[in-house]
């Protein structure tokens, strides 16, 4: 059995966080999944989350959602 690589783990955690962020936006705003995805994927949090060097992807989705709402202009 092969152990997952750092890249695979980072991708998994990032994908999980993004799916949870979309759910949070939908729950809080009552918008559609498409609108929630647009908000999350166009947020300033997205580039920071995708930057593997800062390892933001290891944070909980709830924490990331708070960051997204606290810093709507960027991190």
């Amino acid at each position: 059995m092969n152990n997952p690589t750092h890249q695979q783990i980072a991708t998994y955690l990032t994908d999980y966080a993004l799916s949870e962020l979309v759910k949070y936006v939908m729950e809080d705003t009552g918008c559609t999944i498409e609108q929630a995805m647009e908000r999350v994927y166009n947020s300033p949090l997205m580039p920071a989350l995708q930057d593997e060097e800062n390892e933001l992807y290891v944070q909980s989705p709830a924490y990331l959602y708070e960051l997204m709402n606290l810093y709507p202009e960027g991190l």
Side-chain angles (χ1 to χ4, degrees), residues 4-73:
T5 65
H6 180 79
Q7 174 67 36
Q8 289 170 321
I9 293 169
T11 299
Y12 175 81
L13 291 174
T14 301
D15 290 347
Y16 173 72
L18 289 171
S19 69
E20 291 299 301
L21 289 170
V22 169
K23 287 180 195 176
Y24 293 155
V25 170
M26 289 174 58
E27 290 171 3
D28 284 353
T29 65
C31 67
T32 66
I33 190 169
E34 291 84 6
Q35 293 167 326
M37 290 175 69
E38 184 175 331
R39 179 172 172 198
V40 170
Y41 284 91
N42 291 326
S43 76
L45 177 67
M46 193 65 184
L49 184 58
Q50 291 178 320
D51 182 0
E52 286 185 36
E53 287 185 25
N54 67 27
E55 295 187 345
L56 194 58
Y57 58 84
V58 301
Q59 301 298 326
S60 74
Y63 176 77
L64 295 173
Y65 186 63
E66 290 299 318
L67 282 179
M68 191 173 88
N69 289 316
L70 286 173
Y71 302 102
E73 300 302 318

